[in-house]
Amino acid sequence: MAAIKTKETPGDVEAFLKAVQPEYRQNDCMTILAMMKSITRQEPKLWSNNVVGFGSYHYKSAVSKQEGDWFITGFSPRKQNLTLYIMTGFTRYDELMKKLGKYKTGGSCLYINKLEDVDHKVLKELITLSYKYMKTKYKK
């Protein structure tokens, strides 16, 4: 079984985000950073030098038999889009997703081209609900 590549790594989150291009993506990242800090009340950590994660939990997969630590919520400035990690997935949030705006999903990933494409209040509620659910499910 292959080892999980995404792990918490040392590094300066703000320096990482200040290097993001183009400038509008950097600004979007700073907005998401502030939003997630406010929601989680935790300091961000770098994961594999390209993901900003908040909190962590230990999981064990019944299917693949893998286990490890993962962030509870986070985001990554990808070349194509801004990727937000909503670890609960999206099926439980059908009504919110209808109000969110322009996006795509895949698994636990929410893909947004520009933050102006989505309703910030709805996005904040989505992140908050997912974070609270994960904190309850994976109490330490």
Side-chain angles (χ1 to χ4, degrees):
M1 179 176 355
I4 296 173
K5 296 177 186 176
T6 304
K7 296 183 180 193
E8 189 177 323
T9 54
D12 184 333
V13 170
E14 296 230 2
F16 164 66
L17 294 176
K18 286 180 180 174
V20 170
Q21 293 296 321
E23 189 174 346
Y24 78 84
R25 175 103 51 223
Q26 183 183 124
N27 293 336
D28 286 355
C29 287
M30 293 304 189
T31 300
I32 293 294
L33 178 70
M35 184 184 293
M36 287 187 172
K37 273 183 162 182
S38 170
I39 291 166
T40 66
R41 296 185 187 97
Q42 296 197 20
E43 287 301 310
K45 305 285 184 186
L46 273 181
W47 288 70
S48 297
N49 298 314
N50 64 2
V51 175
V52 177
F54 291 83
S56 66
Y57 68 100
H58 190 80
Y59 69 90
K60 294 180 184 181
S61 172
V63 177
S64 68
K65 306 296 183 206
Q66 279 186 322
E67 71 175 280
D69 296 312
W70 202 258
F71 48 89
I72 296 175
T73 195
F75 68 97
S76 183
R78 305 288 186 197
K79 187 174 184 175
Q80 292 293 88
N81 49 46
L82 181 60
T83 304
L84 282 74
Y85 298 94
I86 308 296
M87 302 316 298
T88 56
F90 304 98
T91 56
R92 68 182 54 228
Y93 309 115
D94 286 340
E95 290 305 311
L96 277 178
M97 300 309 286
K98 289 176 188 174
K99 300 177 200 171
L100 184 57
K102 185 178 173 185
Y103 65 88
K104 292 182 182 178
T105 61
S108 294
C109 296
L110 178 66
Y111 303 108
I112 300 169
N113 290 328
K114 294 180 182 175
L115 203 48
E116 67 187 30
D117 291 342
V118 297
D119 182 314
H120 293 206
K121 185 177 176 184
V122 173
L123 180 61
K124 186 173 183 176
E125 187 175 354
L126 176 65
I127 296 167
T128 300
L129 290 171
S130 175
Y131 182 79
K132 285 181 179 179
Y133 177 85
M134 293 297 290
K135 286 292 283 185
T136 301
K137 184 175 179 178
Y138 294 96
K139 286 184 181 180
K140 285 189 176 185

